[in-house]
mmCIF file with all atom_site columns, all heavy atoms in Angstrom:
data_model
loop_
_atom_site.group_PDB
_atom_site.id
_atom_site.type_symbol
_atom_site.label_atom_id
_atom_site.label_alt_id
_atom_site.label_comp_id
_atom_site.label_asym_id
_atom_site.label_entity_id
_atom_site.label_seq_id
_atom_site.pdbx_PDB_ins_code
_atom_site.Cartn_x
_atom_site.Cartn_y
_atom_site.Cartn_z
_atom_site.occupancy
_atom_site.B_iso_or_equiv
_atom_site.pdbx_formal_charge
_atom_site.auth_seq_id
_atom_site.auth_comp_id
_atom_site.auth_asym_id
_atom_site.auth_atom_id
_atom_site.pdbx_PDB_model_num
ATOM 1  N N   . SER A 1 64 ? 57.847 -117.318 102.751 1.00 87.00 ? 64 SER A N   1
ATOM 2  C CA  . SER A 1 64 ? 57.941 -118.544 101.950 1.00 87.00 ? 64 SER A CA  1
ATOM 3  C C   . SER A 1 64 ? 56.566 -119.032 101.505 1.00 87.00 ? 64 SER A C   1
ATOM 4  O O   . SER A 1 64 ? 56.460 -120.125 100.944 1.00 87.00 ? 64 SER A O   1
ATOM 5  C CB  . SER A 1 64 ? 58.643 -119.646 102.753 1.00 87.00 ? 64 SER A CB  1
ATOM 6  O OG  . SER A 1 64 ? 57.892 -119.984 103.905 1.00 87.00 ? 64 SER A OG  1
ATOM 7  N N   . TRP A 1 65 ? 55.533 -118.236 101.724 1.00 86.00 ? 65 TRP A N   1
ATOM 8  C CA  . TRP A 1 65 ? 54.169 -118.692 101.434 1.00 86.00 ? 65 TRP A CA  1
ATOM 9  C C   . TRP A 1 65 ? 53.974 -119.043 99.962  1.00 86.00 ? 65 TRP A C   1
ATOM 10 O O   . TRP A 1 65 ? 53.336 -120.042 99.634  1.00 86.00 ? 65 TRP A O   1
ATOM 11 C CB  . TRP A 1 65 ? 53.158 -117.635 101.859 1.00 86.00 ? 65 TRP A CB  1
ATOM 12 C CG  . TRP A 1 65 ? 51.738 -118.131 101.828 1.00 86.00 ? 65 TRP A CG  1
ATOM 13 C CD1 . TRP A 1 65 ? 51.105 -118.868 102.789 1.00 86.00 ? 65 TRP A CD1 1
ATOM 14 C CD2 . TRP A 1 65 ? 50.777 -117.942 100.780 1.00 86.00 ? 65 TRP A CD2 1
ATOM 15 N NE1 . TRP A 1 65 ? 49.808 -119.144 102.406 1.00 86.00 ? 65 TRP A NE1 1
ATOM 16 C CE2 . TRP A 1 65 ? 49.579 -118.587 101.182 1.00 86.00 ? 65 TRP A CE2 1
ATOM 17 C CE3 . TRP A 1 65 ? 50.809 -117.290 99.545  1.00 86.00 ? 65 TRP A CE3 1
ATOM 18 C CZ2 . TRP A 1 65 ? 48.436 -118.595 100.396 1.00 86.00 ? 65 TRP A CZ2 1
ATOM 19 C CZ3 . TRP A 1 65 ? 49.662 -117.298 98.758  1.00 86.00 ? 65 TRP A CZ3 1
ATOM 20 C CH2 . TRP A 1 65 ? 48.496 -117.935 99.187  1.00 86.00 ? 65 TRP A CH2 1
ATOM 21 N N   . ALA A 1 66 ? 54.540 -118.253 99.064  1.00 86.00 ? 66 ALA A N   1
ATOM 22 C CA  . ALA A 1 66 ? 54.366 -118.522 97.639  1.00 86.00 ? 66 ALA A CA  1
ATOM 23 C C   . ALA A 1 66 ? 55.037 -119.828 97.228  1.00 86.00 ? 66 ALA A C   1
ATOM 24 O O   . ALA A 1 66 ? 54.629 -120.456 96.255  1.00 86.00 ? 66 ALA A O   1
ATOM 25 C CB  . ALA A 1 66 ? 54.906 -117.360 96.803  1.00 86.00 ? 66 ALA A CB  1
ATOM 26 N N   . ASP A 1 67 ? 56.066 -120.246 97.955  1.00 88.00 ? 67 ASP A N   1
ATOM 27 C CA  . ASP A 1 67 ? 56.643 -121.568 97.737  1.00 88.00 ? 67 ASP A CA  1
ATOM 28 C C   . ASP A 1 67 ? 55.733 -122.651 98.310  1.00 88.00 ? 67 ASP A C   1
ATOM 29 O O   . ASP A 1 67 ? 55.543 -123.716 97.713  1.00 88.00 ? 67 ASP A O   1
ATOM 30 C CB  . ASP A 1 67 ? 58.015 -121.684 98.420  1.00 88.00 ? 67 ASP A CB  1
ATOM 31 C CG  . ASP A 1 67 ? 59.107 -120.950 97.649  1.00 88.00 ? 67 ASP A CG  1
ATOM 32 O OD1 . ASP A 1 67 ? 58.843 -120.517 96.506  1.00 88.00 ? 67 ASP A OD1 1
ATOM 33 O OD2 . ASP A 1 67 ? 60.217 -120.818 98.188  1.00 88.00 ? 67 ASP A OD2 1
ATOM 34 N N   . ASP A 1 68 ? 55.182 -122.376 99.473  1.00 87.00 ? 68 ASP A N   1
ATOM 35 C CA  . ASP A 1 68 ? 54.368 -123.383 100.159 1.00 87.00 ? 68 ASP A CA  1
ATOM 36 C C   . ASP A 1 68 ? 53.136 -123.782 99.359  1.00 87.00 ? 68 ASP A C   1
ATOM 37 O O   . ASP A 1 68 ? 52.659 -124.913 99.484  1.00 87.00 ? 68 ASP A O   1
ATOM 38 C CB  . ASP A 1 68 ? 53.923 -122.865 101.537 1.00 87.00 ? 68 ASP A CB  1
ATOM 39 C CG  . ASP A 1 68 ? 55.093 -122.603 102.475 1.00 87.00 ? 68 ASP A CG  1
ATOM 40 O OD1 . ASP A 1 68 ? 56.159 -123.207 102.254 1.00 87.00 ? 68 ASP A OD1 1
ATOM 41 O OD2 . ASP A 1 68 ? 54.932 -121.803 103.421 1.00 87.00 ? 68 ASP A OD2 1
ATOM 42 N N   . ILE A 1 69 ? 52.597 -122.868 98.560  1.00 87.00 ? 69 ILE A N   1
ATOM 43 C CA  . ILE A 1 69 ? 51.339 -123.158 97.869  1.00 87.00 ? 69 ILE A CA  1
ATOM 44 C C   . ILE A 1 69 ? 51.547 -123.557 96.399  1.00 87.00 ? 69 ILE A C   1
ATOM 45 O O   . ILE A 1 69 ? 50.585 -123.611 95.628  1.00 87.00 ? 69 ILE A O   1
ATOM 46 C CB  . ILE A 1 69 ? 50.363 -121.959 97.973  1.00 87.00 ? 69 ILE A CB  1
ATOM 47 C CG1 . ILE A 1 69 ? 51.002 -120.648 97.539  1.00 87.00 ? 69 ILE A CG1 1
ATOM 48 C CG2 . ILE A 1 69 ? 49.858 -121.832 99.404  1.00 87.00 ? 69 ILE A CG2 1
ATOM 49 C CD1 . ILE A 1 69 ? 51.002 -120.388 96.056  1.00 87.00 ? 69 ILE A CD1 1
ATOM 50 N N   . LEU A 1 70 ? 52.784 -123.867 96.008  1.00 88.00 ? 70 LEU A N   1
ATOM 51 C CA  . LEU A 1 70 ? 53.030 -124.263 94.628  1.00 88.00 ? 70 LEU A CA  1
ATOM 52 C C   . LEU A 1 70 ? 52.241 -125.503 94.215  1.00 88.00 ? 70 LEU A C   1
ATOM 53 O O   . LEU A 1 70 ? 51.774 -125.600 93.083  1.00 88.00 ? 70 LEU A O   1
ATOM 54 C CB  . LEU A 1 70 ? 54.529 -124.516 94.420  1.00 88.00 ? 70 LEU A CB  1
ATOM 55 C CG  . LEU A 1 70 ? 55.379 -123.297 94.054  1.00 88.00 ? 70 LEU A CG  1
ATOM 56 C CD1 . LEU A 1 70 ? 56.843 -123.686 94.018  1.00 88.00 ? 70 LEU A CD1 1
ATOM 57 C CD2 . LEU A 1 70 ? 54.950 -122.724 92.716  1.00 88.00 ? 70 LEU A CD2 1
ATOM 58 N N   . THR A 1 71 ? 52.104 -126.453 95.126  1.00 91.00 ? 71 THR A N   1
ATOM 59 C CA  . THR A 1 71 ? 51.350 -127.655 94.771  1.00 91.00 ? 71 THR A CA  1
ATOM 60 C C   . THR A 1 71 ? 49.869 -127.352 94.585  1.00 91.00 ? 71 THR A C   1
ATOM 61 O O   . THR A 1 71 ? 49.185 -128.044 93.835  1.00 91.00 ? 71 THR A O   1
ATOM 62 C CB  . THR A 1 71 ? 51.519 -128.737 95.851  1.00 91.00 ? 71 THR A CB  1
ATOM 63 O OG1 . THR A 1 71 ? 51.180 -128.193 97.130  1.00 91.00 ? 71 THR A OG1 1
ATOM 64 C CG2 . THR A 1 71 ? 52.957 -129.231 95.889  1.00 91.00 ? 71 THR A CG2 1
ATOM 65 N N   . ARG A 1 72 ? 49.372 -126.328 95.252  1.00 93.00 ? 72 ARG A N   1
ATOM 66 C CA  . ARG A 1 72 ? 47.963 -125.954 95.127  1.00 93.00 ? 72 ARG A CA  1
ATOM 67 C C   . ARG A 1 72 ? 47.727 -125.063 93.916  1.00 93.00 ? 72 ARG A C   1
ATOM 68 O O   . ARG A 1 72 ? 46.669 -125.137 93.271  1.00 93.00 ? 72 ARG A O   1
ATOM 69 C CB  . ARG A 1 72 ? 47.508 -125.232 96.396  1.00 93.00 ? 72 ARG A CB  1
ATOM 70 C CG  . ARG A 1 72 ? 46.031 -124.862 96.389  1.00 93.00 ? 72 ARG A CG  1
ATOM 71 C CD  . ARG A 1 72 ? 45.606 -124.232 97.704  1.00 93.00 ? 72 ARG A CD  1
ATOM 72 N NE  . ARG A 1 72 ? 44.196 -123.896 97.711  1.00 93.00 ? 72 ARG A NE  1
ATOM 73 C CZ  . ARG A 1 72 ? 43.577 -123.285 98.730  1.00 93.00 ? 72 ARG A CZ  1
ATOM 74 N NH1 . ARG A 1 72 ? 44.245 -122.991 99.835  1.00 93.00 ? 72 ARG A NH1 1
ATOM 75 N NH2 . ARG A 1 72 ? 42.298 -123.001 98.645  1.00 93.00 ? 72 ARG A NH2 1
ATOM 76 N N   . TYR A 1 73 ? 48.692 -124.200 93.603  1.00 93.00 ? 73 TYR A N   1
ATOM 77 C CA  . TYR A 1 73 ? 48.563 -123.276 92.475  1.00 93.00 ? 73 TYR A CA  1
ATOM 78 C C   . TYR A 1 73 ? 49.743 -123.463 91.518  1.00 93.00 ? 73 TYR A C   1
ATOM 79 O O   . TYR A 1 73 ? 50.620 -122.595 91.430  1.00 93.00 ? 73 TYR A O   1
ATOM 80 C CB  . TYR A 1 73 ? 48.516 -121.829 92.967  1.00 93.00 ? 73 TYR A CB  1
ATOM 81 C CG  . TYR A 1 73 ? 47.362 -121.530 93.897  1.00 93.00 ? 73 TYR A CG  1
ATOM 82 C CD1 . TYR A 1 73 ? 47.589 -121.231 95.240  1.00 93.00 ? 73 TYR A CD1 1
ATOM 83 C CD2 . TYR A 1 73 ? 46.052 -121.542 93.435  1.00 93.00 ? 73 TYR A CD2 1
ATOM 84 C CE1 . TYR A 1 73 ? 46.535 -120.957 96.099  1.00 93.00 ? 73 TYR A CE1 1
ATOM 85 C CE2 . TYR A 1 73 ? 44.986 -121.262 94.293  1.00 93.00 ? 73 TYR A CE2 1
ATOM 86 C CZ  . TYR A 1 73 ? 45.246 -120.971 95.617  1.00 93.00 ? 73 TYR A CZ  1
ATOM 87 O OH  . TYR A 1 73 ? 44.203 -120.697 96.464  1.00 93.00 ? 73 TYR A OH  1
#
Side-chain angles (χ1 to χ4, degrees):
S64 63
W65 191 82
D67 284 350
D68 297 337
I69 52 83
L70 273 175
T71 53
R72 183 176 181 182
Y73 300 112

